[in-house]
Amino acid sequence: DSVVYPRALAAELRRVGRNERVHRIPDYAGNSAAEKAERIAQILAIARQGGYTHLFAGYGFMAEDAEFIAAIDQAGLGFVGPSSGPVRQAGAKDAAKALARQIGVSVTPGIDNIEALAVLALMNPARGREPREFLRALARQHELALPEGADPPERLAERLLEAARARKLELVPLAALQAEAERRVRALLAEHPGRRLRFKHVGGGGGKGQRIVARPEQVAAAVTEVLNEARATGPGDNRNFLIELNIEATRHNEIQLLGNGQWCVALGGRDCSLQMHEQKLLEVSVSEELLAATAEAYERAGKREQAAVLRADLAVLREMEAQAARFGEAVRLDSASTFESIVEGSHHYFMEVNTRIQVEHRVTERVYALRFTHPDDPTQGFTVESLVEAMLWMAVHGPALPRPERIPRHGSGAEVRINATNDALKPHAGGMVLDWSPPSEDELRDDQGIGIRNPDTGAFMPYQLAGAYDSNIALIVTHGRDREENFRRLAELLRRTDLRGRDLMTNLGFHYGLLHWMLGADAMIKPSTRFVSAYLAGVGALQRAGADLELDLAWQHLLEREAERGPAAVRTLELKDTLILRPLRRLYRQPHLLAGWLAPRTQRRFVLEQGRVVWRQNPLEVLEQLYRYLRLEDHPGVSPEERIWAHDQALLATGLAFYRELGARLGGAPGPGPTPGPLRWDALDARLAGAAPPAGIPAEQWPAVQAAHRGHQAGLELLKLPVLTGDESGFSGIGVDARLEVVMPAAFADEAGAAPLRQALEVAPRARSNEVVAFTGGTFYARPSPAEPPYVSQGEHVEEGQTLGLLEVMKMFNPVRSGFAGTVREVHLQGQTGQLVQKGQTLFVLEPDVPIVQESESERAERRRSRTEALLARL
C-alpha cells in the first residue's frame, strides 16, 4: 500500500537489497484483456532478460490464473504452483463441482451453470425450436464456432459462452441473467423452505464475489454485487456463478494437498469457521493425531460426550482427506492446493479447490513435515518443513519425487489475521503504522515486511495502510502440544504485542478477547461460520450496557458508605482510587477485552447466585489478574499510563502478602487429594468474620487481622460490576454445550436484532443527524454498474436500511444504507466509475419522515445515573 505514499518504501521491497532485481509492473487484475496480455508479455520479457528460470506468483489470484500460467509454460519457464491443466480443471468452481460429482466427492446441492441456463432461457418456446438448433443458430448469428456432436444442451451452451468470451461478445444481458437466477432461486427456495442460498462467482475467492439470498426479490441486487465484486461486468467476462444451498450451521474446513501429477497427499485440515464478511479471522489445525489424543484425554477426564463428538469428527476428517486426495489425483495436481469443504454435523460437502498456496499454509506447517525417501534406498532422503519449499521441489523435480510420508511435528497450529478493522470488524483504511514490537519467542509473524527496521538506525519505518488491496496487516502463527496450549500461547503473544499508529484501528483486541473466551468455554469448541457475527452482537450488547455505567458515581457511592464507618475507612478507600478504577475504566473502554474477561473458567472467579455475584476467589487476586490481563502489570519500557502506578503496586503487593501469610498461619483445609489444599475463599472469608480467632492467630492480633482484611477488601466490590454488566447485557448467556457447539442467545443469533448491536461497536464519524457519511475512506459508487441508474436520486423517498450506494474498502463492497426513512434532499457524489472519499465525508443529506429527537445532556446524565444505581443495588 505504501508504494503510493512518499512516507515509506513498500515493505515487500525492503528485503530485496538490489535495485536491479526490483521490477515494477502494474497490476492487471480487473483491467482489459489487451492490457492483461501486455502485462504478461512484460513479465516474461523481464524473466528472459534477467535469466530467471522460474516464476512464483505468491498467494494472490495471479497464482491461479490459468492464462498467465499457460503463457509461462509456453515461454519455456517454470511456474512454482499448479500448472495450467489442474488450474483450469479444478480452479473454476463450476468445473470443479462437475468433476467432483463424477468421482464420488460429496458436493453442496445447487446450480453451477446459471449463465448457460440463462442462454437457453433466451430461446422462444413459441417457435418450437429444439435447444441444440437454437444454440447453433445463435452461434451462426454471432459467427461463433461450435463443435459438431450430440452434446447435451447445457454443455453446448457452455461451449457457446466460451467461444463468445474469446471474442469479447456478450450473449446474455445482465437483466436476462438476473431473471433466470430469480426463477431458479424461487424453485430452490420452494424445494428447501426456510433455507437461504449463497451466490458465489466462479472466479471469486477470499470472500469476494459472494452474497447470501433469502428471498427472490433480493436476487437482482445480489447478482449485480457479485459481478461487480468479481470484476466480471464487461463483454467477454465469465459471469457464471454458483447458486448453492447455504448450510447455516456450517463449519468451514479445508484440506491441504500436495501432488506431483502422479500422487497426491493430504496434510490434515484447517478449521476456518471463525470468519466475518466471508473472510477468515482465525484458523486452527485439525489433524487425526490431535482429535484422537484429545478424545482420549477427554475420556480420562470424564467428558465422555465430548470425547464421542471428537471421535466422530475424526471419522469425518479421514473421509474428507480421502476425497481430497482422490480429487487431487483426478486433476493430476502437481503442486500445493487447498480442498475446501463445509461440514454440518457428520456430513461434509465439497465447495471448491484453491489452486494456489494460501496464506494460512503455515498452520499446516506447524503440524506436519514431509519426509521424501529415495525409492531404491530408504536410508537416503530429506525432510521438508515449508510448503513453499515443497512447491519449489515440485516445480524443479516433481515427476522424479516419490510419494512422501507426512511426519507429525506439533499437536496443534493456529493463526490469527491482524486486520485494519474497527471493533465491529469493518475495514478501516488510511491508518499509519508507526511502531510495532518485535515478534516474541515461538511467534511466526508474516507482516509483509512492515516490521523490518532501518538497518542503519534501527528505527521503525512508518507504513501507510492505504486500503489498496485488503485489510490484512499480518498473520501471527504459533503452535502447542494441544489446542488449549496453542490458544494460551497465542493469547499471550497478542497480550505482549504493541502495535501503534495514527488513525490506526485493528482487530487485535477482538482476537485477544475471543481467544480468552474460547479458552474459558472449551478449546475444542466447534463454532459455525455464523458465530462471529452473533458473538459481535453480544459484545455490542456489552458495549451498550457498559456505556451507561458511571464509575465515578459508583466510587462516590462507596465513599459515602465508608463514611458511616469513620474517617479511617474513608482514608483507606481513597488510597485505592486509582488501584481499582484505572483497570476498570480500561476494561469498559474496550468491549472485546471485557468479553474475554467474562469468559467462564475451570477455576471460577465468581458465580451468580440469585442475581448476585459470589466470589470463589480472593477479589484481590482477581484484581492482580485483571492488571495482567490488561497488560497493566509492572513492566519496563512503557510510560506510567501503561502500567500499574508505584503506590498502587505497593498496596496490591502488601495485600497479597497479607493473605499469603494468613493462609500459612491458618493452614489448609482437606482437599480432594491426599495432601491438604488451600482454604476456599468463601471459607476463609467466613473465618475472618468470626468473633473468635482461629487456631494459629493470637487473640490480641485478631482485631488487627480483621481490620486489615476489611481494608484490603475495601472497594473491591466494584470488580463485580463487569460480571453484572455481562449478566444484564445477555452476553454471559453465550456458552458451549456437551457437543462442543455454541449456545447463542436468540437476541444475538437473529440478524435483524444483531445488526444494531454490532453497530454499537463502531465509532461513527461526526455528522449531523440527517447526514449519511462515509464510515471510512474508500471508493464510493453511486450506481451498481456504469450502465445502470443510480441507487437513489435527489427527491426520491427511501426506507430505513435501503442501499444508497456502495463503498469499496480494501476490495470489499460495503452497502451504504439509510439509517431512517426519509427523502433524499442532497446527493453529494454522483460519479459512475467511483470516486475516492475520506472518512466522515458527507455522501447524502436526507429529510427524515419522523423528526429525529436527540437526547439532551441532562437526559443522558439521568439515564446513566439510573442505570448505575440499578447495578449498585445488585452489589
Side-chain angles (χ1 to χ4, degrees), residues 416-487:
V416 296
R417 300 194 188 200
I418 304 301
N419 295 336
T421 59
N422 61 21
D423 278 344
L425 301 190
K426 279 191 173 182
H428 182 85
M432 178 80 76
V433 181
L434 296 176
D435 195 31
W436 200 342
S437 56
S440 304
E441 187 179 1
D442 293 326
E443 175 184 356
L444 280 170
R445 184 188 297 173
D446 285 335
D447 62 0
Q448 309 166 75
I450 296 173
I452 297 176
R453 294 175 179 266
N454 185 298
D456 297 319
T457 66
F460 186 92
M461 293 186 281
Y463 188 84
Q464 183 88 36
L465 294 165
Y469 182 56
D470 69 16
S471 63
N472 187 246
I473 302 173
L475 313 170
I476 295 180
V477 188
T478 191
H479 62 271
R481 289 171 298 180
D482 53 29
R483 192 173 291 169
E484 180 170 343
E485 182 181 88
N486 196 173
F487 279 1

Side-chain angles (χ1 to χ4, degrees), residues 333-478:
L333 179 65
D334 52 1
S335 191
S337 288
T338 306
F339 180 94
E340 302 207 21
S341 299
I342 51 178
V343 181
E344 184 179 40
S346 60
H347 302 286
H348 61 91
Y349 306 96
F350 166 65
M351 284 199 305
E352 64 190 44
V353 168
N354 278 298
T355 53
R356 57 184 165 91
I357 188 74
Q358 291 186 279
V359 294
E360 60 266 33
H361 69 278
R362 286 192 183 276
V363 174
T364 296
E365 292 174 353
R366 299 296 88 202
V367 177
Y368 289 122
L370 288 165
R371 173 68 181 171
F372 289 88
T373 305
H374 195 290
D376 299 325
D377 184 359
T379 64
Q380 298 295 316
F382 58 93
T383 300
V384 175
E385 295 181 350
S386 160
L387 281 168
V388 173
E389 181 188 340
M391 292 174 69
L392 288 162
W393 280 105
M394 295 302 113
V396 179
H397 301 293
L401 292 171
R403 179 189 296 268
E405 176 189 3
R406 70 182 191 188
I407 308 296
R409 296 183 65 198
H410 305 289
S412 177
E415 168 189 283
V416 296
R417 300 194 188 200
I418 304 301
N419 295 336
T421 59
N422 61 21
D423 278 344
L425 301 190
K426 279 191 173 182
H428 182 85
M432 178 80 76
V433 181
L434 296 176
D435 195 31
W436 200 342
S437 56
S440 304
E441 187 179 1
D442 293 326
E443 175 184 356
L444 280 170
R445 184 188 297 173
D446 285 335
D447 62 0
Q448 309 166 75
I450 296 173
I452 297 176
R453 294 175 179 266
N454 185 298
D456 297 319
T457 66
F460 186 92
M461 293 186 281
Y463 188 84
Q464 183 88 36
L465 294 165
Y469 182 56
D470 69 16
S471 63
N472 187 246
I473 302 173
L475 313 170
I476 295 180
V477 188
T478 191

Side-chain angles (χ1 to χ4, degrees), residues 32-34 67 163-170 234-237:
S32 67
E67 184 181 346
R165 290 182 197 123
R167 291 268 308 281
K168 305 303 174 187
L169 295 176
E170 181 185 87
D237 290 337

